[in-house]
Amino acid sequence: MTDIQRLSTSDSDFDTRLDGLLAWESVSDDRVQQIVAEIIREVRARGDAALLDYTARFDRWTPATPADLELPRARLEQAWNTIPAEQRQALEAAAERIRAYAEHQKLAGWSYRDPDGTLLGQQVTPLDRAGLYVPGGKAAYPSSVLMNAIPAKVAGVAELIMVVPTPDGELNELVLAAAHVAGVDRAFAVGGAQAVAALAYGTETIPGVDKIVGPGNIYVATAKRAVFGQVGIDMVAGPSEILVICDGGTDPDWIAMDLFSQAEHDEDAQSILVSWDAGFLDRVAASIDRLLPTMERAPIIEAALRARGALILARDLDDAIAVANHIAPEHLELSVADPESIVGRIRHAGAIFMGRYTAEALGDYCAGPNHVLPTSRTARFSSPLGVYDFQKRSSLIMASAEGSARLARTASVLARGEGLTAHARSAEYRGDVEA
Amino acid sequence: MTDIQRLSTSDSDFDTRLDGLLAWESVSDDRVQQIVAEIIREVRARGDAALLDYTARFDRWTPATPADLELPRARLEQAWNTIPAEQRQALEAAAERIRAYAEHQKLAGWSYRDPDGTLLGQQVTPLDRAGLYVPGGKAAYPSSVLMNAIPAKVAGVAELIMVVPTPDGELNELVLAAAHVAGVDRAFAVGGAQAVAALAYGTETIPGVDKIVGPGNIYVATAKRAVFGQVGIDMVAGPSEILVICDGGTDPDWIAMDLFSQAEHDEDAQSILVSWDAGFLDRVAASIDRLLPTMERAPIIEAALRARGALILARDLDDAIAVANHIAPEHLELSVADPESIVGRIRHAGAIFMGRYTAEALGDYCAGPNHVLPTSRTARFSSPLGVYDFQKRSSLIMASAEGSARLARTASVLARGEGLTAHARSAEYRGDVEA
């Protein structure tokens, strides 16, 4: 029998056990910190020369010249043209839906005028240049390229630079094809902390960017944290998680497979089901037992379910919603008869999959919304990656003569209250026009 | 003569000299890092007891019990009732304008349906609880309380917790009054890294929050960086800066005072003027020389202008705009005849003050837009503090039976391309309804 924890919200130690399951601290040890700091120093100091050295050392191939690090657009197009038609169509269909959804997210500027003619508003502009980190090797996900690149292009980012390591010189054709269809402007075969440093500070060959997004290993994550401030970064993600709330009316095999789809990512992934139907929890447990041996990634799924999975018995729907709001899950399935009647009571979740037909996997690839989502309870204060992450706002103020006189009186009192007399006098000069 | 650098964009070494002036790296040394890490560990382990110890040590007063750390709402109201009427009116006027502007920033949810009935959208929710750090002592700014607190309340944050150190037990009445009018829910007389740790992890007395905003010294900034992930944080601010673009038609005394108003913050503050009218730069230099001796904070202003100030001669308006876009200033004054015709060409700035009447100081206190703005060129990728910083989004997906069948085909191909077969099967189950 599969070893997945069974909890009940009525247990006296429920809160403690749940928090124990959720606990996750992403700390880079000192060794990683030091290696990353050294790599960043080297890339800042020696530019391309350092990139070539690290590529030889970590990826085990040696570009003849720095220019050889670039994957020309023709190479991306070639990948696009040579992958199987079925995959090309799937990438195209996904890209189209991701783009359509992203268009709805675009921020627009606005302004209004006070009765005295003073204008107030907000101007919205895209980032000039964004960098997209794409992992190489076995965790190379073309869907990730689409999800990170398309919002940037919809935002109007003028230049989108992709970096992807090519261990032993090996390229992933699906990743290159995804970069092509997503509109990546330039791509470089470099990875690790050295790629992050190059994007943050620029080298002779790789242009510096304004923000770096995309997943990576602990070295990449540590480097992103280190260059934050010099450039923007997206969130530093923890393990992926799903919480399913089910009323007992969904096929238990479907729910088991949804839990598996999260657990198959890696051993730290988290799959939790909450229901107030005890019999249903038993049926899902039986489905897990029956289906697990048929899964290609069974050992990973089993390890994840054992370490961080749970089937939770709630008292009722309200109780289940309270659990969801405490967990603030990255992915939340509302596998219930009438999800629209309860979605408004969900206060914290990265993405909400409503109804029995909406498998999380649909959202991972092609429903439209982004699959880059806040993990580890950070949905309490953060949002899915979106077009808005590639736009920023500037406040606009244009005081009329009358307005500046009025504002100057208030500003002067407050500035003098703070002991900032240059502020006060600067305001008062404008106030005098009316005096 | 005041020692402020004169540059020209035609100088062969202009780019280097400008970047030298702009250079700023906010590094906390290892000693600060270690002290902060120790404080966070102690507060997590010992809660209130650690807070009392640190308050005795750093603020030199000893609360009798942890409950004495709280400043009751009646105490805030008392401050409000006892400050001079002129200040009360100014705080009220500023709060009203900040609130009115913030209302325009509120994000709203949206959704749309595919022809097959699949619903896609975004739900917007406020943070449950936010923490506001307010510095104590001489840098205690009531305007900062308004600017940080009001957007949180407009967003709908249920509980806003303020922390403010009271060195030697001393309270700033204007800060307490500002907290009252801004709607702060609870306030605690605790500061430093220990206050940040308490807000991030909670103690017996201080509730843990979801996001911490507000300025502070290097210990506070280092602590905020350290707890990022556990909670959200606003940006870690560098020194304040202003860039003024002037066509030569504004009173040079006004411009000199605008440069002073930034420089008076501290010796690291940055004030730069760009104009294509060489004679005007001379007139502003003369105003600086004449007005500086009349300023209360002349030594700070002079030190800041000498270290990081500049008067820059540009070739023309286009050239001046290029300089602004390179600098990506926190504050940008467009002190020109027709600012509306050029504001759309400003790609990066925290706040834009348009026209001769719009002194930056008006925006610092009461124009409406926030005075918490991206510094140190981070306007390239970030925005003013706003209501949106206290809201977050959840993606919504509700697939119809027909929609899920269609999406499942695409998801299945991509999932199998990535080797994630549980994803594929989870999608395929839903696809079968149509097959």
Side-chain angles (χ1 to χ4, degrees):
Chain A
M1 220 184 82
T2 313
D3 205 5
I4 184 167
Q5 290 198 50
R6 301 285 288 257
L7 310 182
S8 164
T9 58
S10 310
D11 295 341
S12 60
D13 61 350
F14 173 73
D15 291 349
T16 313
R17 286 183 68 189
L18 179 60
D19 285 341
L21 270 178
L22 300 176
W24 183 264
E25 296 221 27
S26 65
V27 275
S28 323
D29 65 30
D30 285 349
R31 198 185 57 88
V32 172
Q33 299 265 19
Q34 279 164 20
I35 293 170
V36 166
E38 165 76 15
I39 291 173
I40 294 173
R41 259 196 312 275
E42 284 289 303
V43 172
R44 285 184 75 172
R46 302 200 296 123
D48 284 346
L51 286 186
L52 294 191
D53 287 353
Y54 286 120
T55 299
R57 189 156 132 208
F58 297 129
D59 292 342
R60 297 165 303 280
W61 67 285
T62 307
T65 70
D68 291 339
L69 288 173
E70 184 151 11
L71 299 164
R73 282 170 77 152
R75 179 67 188 82
L76 308 185
E77 197 176 350
Q78 177 198 326
W80 177 251
N81 289 326
T82 49
I83 59 171
E86 186 189 50
Q87 289 186 333
R88 196 160 48 237
Q89 281 151 19
L91 282 176
E92 196 149 44
E96 205 169 288
R97 291 190 63 90
I98 295 165
R99 200 172 285 126
Y101 182 86
E103 288 286 350
H104 288 263
Q105 292 184 322
K106 260 180 113 156
L107 305 175
W110 48 263
S111 66
Y112 63 97
R113 279 185 194 269
D114 287 341
D116 65 25
T118 295
L119 175 142
L120 297 157
Q122 207 168 259
Q123 178 163 289
V124 176
T125 44
L127 274 61
D128 282 350
R129 239 193 237 134
L132 164 54
Y133 190 93
V134 177
K138 66 182 168 124
Y141 293 148
S143 58
S144 224
V145 175
L146 302 184
M147 293 290 182
N148 281 278
I150 291 173
K153 297 308 290 184
V154 169
V157 170
E159 203 174 14
L160 176 61
I161 318 272
M162 180 174 96
V163 293
V164 55
T166 54
D168 302 305
E170 198 185 326
L171 290 163
N172 180 316
E173 297 298 314
L174 271 179
V175 162
L176 300 187
H180 172 78
V181 76
V184 166
D185 294 290
R186 296 182 73 184
F188 295 91
V190 57
Q194 62 272 24
V196 174
L199 289 172
Y201 293 99
T203 70
E204 303 90 317
T205 299
I206 300 186
V209 302
D210 301 302
K211 186 167 187 167
I212 302 173
V213 300
N217 63 19
I218 186 70
Y219 294 94
V220 171
T222 304
K224 279 169 66 181
R225 245 182 207 273
V227 300
F228 174 55
Q230 168 68 19
V231 296
I233 61 168
D234 59 351
M235 57 202 97
V236 173
S240 197
E241 341 134 16
I242 190 172
L243 176 69
V244 180
I245 293 181
C246 188
D247 59 10
T250 308
D251 185 327
D253 282 2
W254 294 17
I255 299 298
M257 197 59 72
D258 295 351
L259 299 175
F260 289 176
S261 76
Q262 202 52 240
E264 76 173 336
H265 278 293
D266 57 69
E267 291 81 353
D268 295 320
Q270 184 152 60
S271 299
I272 299 179
L273 166 64
V274 186
S275 181
W276 47 97
D277 180 339
F280 181 70
L281 293 179
D282 292 338
R283 290 195 293 280
V284 172
S287 292
I288 290 175
D289 289 341
R290 183 169 39 78
L291 292 170
L292 186 59
T294 72
M295 303 308 300
E296 282 82 349
R297 296 165 71 90
I300 296 174
I301 294 171
E302 189 169 15
L305 292 183
R306 190 184 323 114
R308 304 194 73 221
L311 306 180
I312 300 178
L313 180 65
R315 275 181 294 267
D316 51 27
L317 172 66
D318 290 352
D319 197 28
I321 289 175
V323 170
N325 281 328
H326 177 72
I327 294 180
E330 181 191 12
H331 305 98
L332 174 63
E333 280 188 15
L334 298 179
S335 204
V336 298
D338 183 11
E340 286 178 279
S341 71
I342 64 170
V343 69
R345 293 164 61 196
I346 302 299
R347 295 204 314 281
H348 317 293
I352 306 174
F353 302 81
M354 300 162 67
R356 311 194 195 288
Y357 290 118
T358 315
E360 187 219 301
L362 303 180
D364 287 341
Y365 291 106
C366 58
N370 213 288
H371 78 192
V372 180
L373 297 166
T375 58
S376 307
R377 306 192 64 221
T378 59
R380 291 176 297 125
F381 54 84
S382 51
S383 299
L385 186 74
V387 174
Y388 38 79
D389 289 303
F390 299 97
Q391 298 181 293
K392 64 266 181 346
R393 305 157 168 100
S394 301
S395 307
L396 300 180
I397 313 171
M398 186 166 70
S400 64
E402 193 189 329
S404 77
R406 192 197 321 274
L407 293 172
R409 285 190 284 274
T410 300
S412 166
V413 170
L414 293 174
R416 290 184 184 279
E418 293 182 353
L420 296 177
T421 45
H423 284 70
R425 289 174 65 181
S426 163
E428 288 156 11
Y429 274 145
R430 273 72 172 196
D432 282 345
V433 292
E434 288 286 282
Chain B
M1 222 182 82
T2 313
D3 205 5
I4 184 167
Q5 290 198 50
R6 301 284 289 256
L7 310 183
S8 164
T9 57
S10 310
D11 295 341
S12 60
D13 61 350
F14 173 74
D15 292 348
T16 313
R17 287 183 66 190
L18 179 61
D19 284 342
L21 270 178
L22 300 177
W24 183 264
E25 296 221 27
S26 66
V27 274
S28 323
D29 63 30
D30 285 349
R31 200 185 55 88
V32 173
Q33 300 265 19
Q34 279 164 20
I35 293 171
V36 166
E38 165 75 14
I39 291 173
I40 294 173
R41 260 196 311 277
E42 284 289 304
V43 172
R44 285 185 74 172
R46 301 200 297 124
D48 284 347
L51 286 187
L52 294 190
D53 287 352
Y54 286 121
T55 299
R57 188 158 133 206
F58 296 130
D59 292 343
R60 297 165 302 279
W61 68 285
T62 307
T65 70
D68 291 339
L69 287 173
E70 183 150 10
L71 299 164
R73 282 170 76 152
R75 180 65 187 83
L76 308 186
E77 197 175 351
Q78 177 198 326
W80 177 252
N81 289 326
T82 51
I83 59 170
E86 185 188 49
Q87 289 186 333
R88 197 161 48 236
Q89 281 150 19
L91 281 176
E92 197 148 45
E96 205 168 288
R97 292 190 61 91
I98 294 165
R99 201 172 285 126
Y101 182 87
E103 288 287 351
H104 288 263
Q105 291 183 323
K106 261 180 112 156
L107 303 175
W110 48 262
S111 67
Y112 62 97
R113 280 186 193 268
D114 286 341
D116 65 26
T118 295
L119 174 141
L120 297 158
Q122 207 169 259
Q123 177 163 290
V124 176
T125 44
L127 274 62
D128 282 349
R129 238 193 237 133
L132 165 55
Y133 190 94
V134 178
K138 66 180 167 125
Y141 294 146
S143 58
S144 223
V145 176
L146 302 184
M147 294 289 182
N148 281 277
I150 291 173
K153 295 309 289 184
V154 169
V157 170
E159 202 173 14
L160 176 60
I161 318 273
M162 179 173 95
V163 292
V164 55
T166 54
D168 303 305
E170 199 184 326
L171 290 164
N172 180 316
E173 297 298 315
L174 271 179
V175 161
L176 300 187
H180 172 77
V181 76
V184 165
D185 294 289
R186 296 182 73 185
F188 295 91
V190 57
Q194 61 273 23
V196 174
L199 289 173
Y201 293 99
T203 69
E204 304 90 318
T205 299
I206 301 186
V209 302
D210 301 302
K211 185 168 187 166
I212 302 173
V213 300
N217 64 20
I218 186 71
Y219 294 95
V220 171
T222 304
K224 280 169 65 182
R225 246 183 208 273
V227 301
F228 174 56
Q230 169 67 19
V231 295
I233 60 168
D234 60 351
M235 59 202 95
V236 173
S240 197
E241 342 132 14
I242 190 172
L243 176 68
V244 180
I245 293 181
C246 187
D247 58 10
T250 308
D251 186 326
D253 281 3
W254 293 19
I255 299 298
M257 197 59 71
D258 295 351
L259 299 175
F260 288 176
S261 75
Q262 200 54 237
E264 76 173 337
H265 277 295
D266 58 69
E267 292 81 354
D268 295 320
Q270 184 152 60
S271 298
I272 299 179
L273 166 64
V274 186
S275 181
W276 47 98
D277 179 338
F280 181 71
L281 293 179
D282 292 336
R283 290 194 293 282
V284 172
S287 292
I288 290 174
D289 290 340
R290 183 168 42 78
L291 293 169
L292 185 59
T294 73
M295 303 308 299
E296 281 82 349
R297 294 165 72 90
I300 296 173
I301 295 171
E302 189 169 15
L305 292 184
R306 189 184 323 114
R308 306 194 72 220
L311 306 180
I312 300 178
L313 179 65
R315 276 181 294 268
D316 51 27
L317 172 66
D318 290 352
D319 197 27
I321 290 174
V323 169
N325 281 329
H326 177 71
I327 293 180
E330 181 191 12
H331 305 98
L332 173 64
E333 280 187 16
L334 298 178
S335 204
V336 298
D338 183 12
E340 287 178 280
S341 71
I342 63 172
V343 69
R345 293 164 61 196
I346 302 299
R347 295 203 315 280
H348 318 294
I352 307 175
F353 302 82
M354 300 161 66
R356 311 195 195 286
Y357 289 118
T358 315
E360 186 220 301
L362 303 181
D364 287 341
Y365 291 106
C366 57
N370 213 288
H371 79 192
V372 181
L373 297 166
T375 58
S376 306
R377 305 194 64 222
T378 59
R380 291 176 298 125
F381 54 83
S382 51
S383 299
L385 187 74
V387 174
Y388 38 79
D389 289 302
F390 300 96
Q391 299 181 294
K392 65 267 181 345
R393 305 159 169 100
S394 300
S395 307
L396 301 180
I397 313 173
M398 186 167 69
S400 64
E402 192 190 329
S404 77
R406 191 197 321 273
L407 293 172
R409 285 190 285 275
T410 300
S412 165
V413 171
L414 293 174
R416 290 185 183 280
E418 293 181 353
L420 297 177
T421 45
H423 283 70
R425 288 174 65 180
S426 164
E428 289 156 10
Y429 275 144
R430 273 72 172 194
D432 282 344
V433 292
E434 289 285 283

